[in-house]
Structures are given as structure tokens and as C-alpha cells.
Amino acid sequence: MHLLGSGTRTRRLGSGTFRCPRERSSRQYELKAVRRWAYLKRVPMLRLGEVGRYVECRSCGSTFDHGVLAHPNDAPVEDV
């Protein structure tokens, strides 16, 4: 049995409306943060730091870099 370990947990930081690059229209999103934790017997004990942040479209389920929120809702989405 492992007593010590590490892993990640995702936490919702906020929500709102953005222009989804996949659907090319205004959709609801959730801003999420992924953090690494140290565990003792499967109980998170010590937060080791943030791994990253991302935006998840609540309509299509796609995930994007949180920089996508810098684009205005009514601005055209550029093809990458």
C-alpha cells in the first residue's frame, strides 16, 4: 500500500461567455486550473503548485488555452 504520492486536481475558477473557436459563436465557458498535490493515503495534504489553466466550452466540450478569453465575443475567430 502506498502511503505517499502525488497527483493533480482540477478546480473551477470562473465562468462566462466567450467566442468558441471551434463552434465560431458565443458560448458559455468554465475557466479551470490544474494543480499538483502531494497525497498521504489518498488524502490531498500539500499543494505543490499550479500546472496550468485552460478554458472549457460548455457546449462542445473542447478545451483551449486561457488566452482565448482575450478575444472579444463578437470578433471573428482566426483560423490557425
Side-chain angles (χ1 to χ4, degrees), residues 2-18:
H2 290 74
L3 297 178
L4 298 174
S6 67
T8 59
R9 294 181 76 183
T10 302
R11 181 175 155 215
R12 181 177 171 259
L13 298 177
S15 63
T17 304
F18 81 129

Side-chain angles (χ1 to χ4, degrees), residues 9-29:
R9 294 181 76 183
T10 302
R11 181 175 155 215
R12 181 177 171 259
L13 298 177
S15 63
T17 304
F18 81 129
R19 184 163 174 90
C20 177
R22 181 171 185 216
E23 296 187 53
R24 299 181 182 269
S25 59
S26 291
R27 298 289 188 229
Q28 296 292 315
Y29 74 86

Side-chain angles (χ1 to χ4, degrees), residues 28-77:
Q28 296 292 315
Y29 74 86
E30 289 187 348
L31 176 62
K32 297 184 177 183
V34 180
R35 294 186 173 138
R36 182 165 290 288
W37 287 80
Y39 289 85
L40 177 63
K41 293 185 180 181
R42 298 184 187 168
V43 177
M45 301 298 287
L46 178 64
R47 185 172 63 191
L48 300 175
E50 188 172 289
V51 176
R53 292 183 180 200
Y54 66 94
V55 172
E56 181 177 329
C57 178
R58 294 186 63 197
S59 175
C60 68
S62 297
T63 58
F64 307 97
D65 183 77
H66 69 280
V68 75
L69 297 178
H71 302 292
N73 285 348
D74 57 349
V77 177

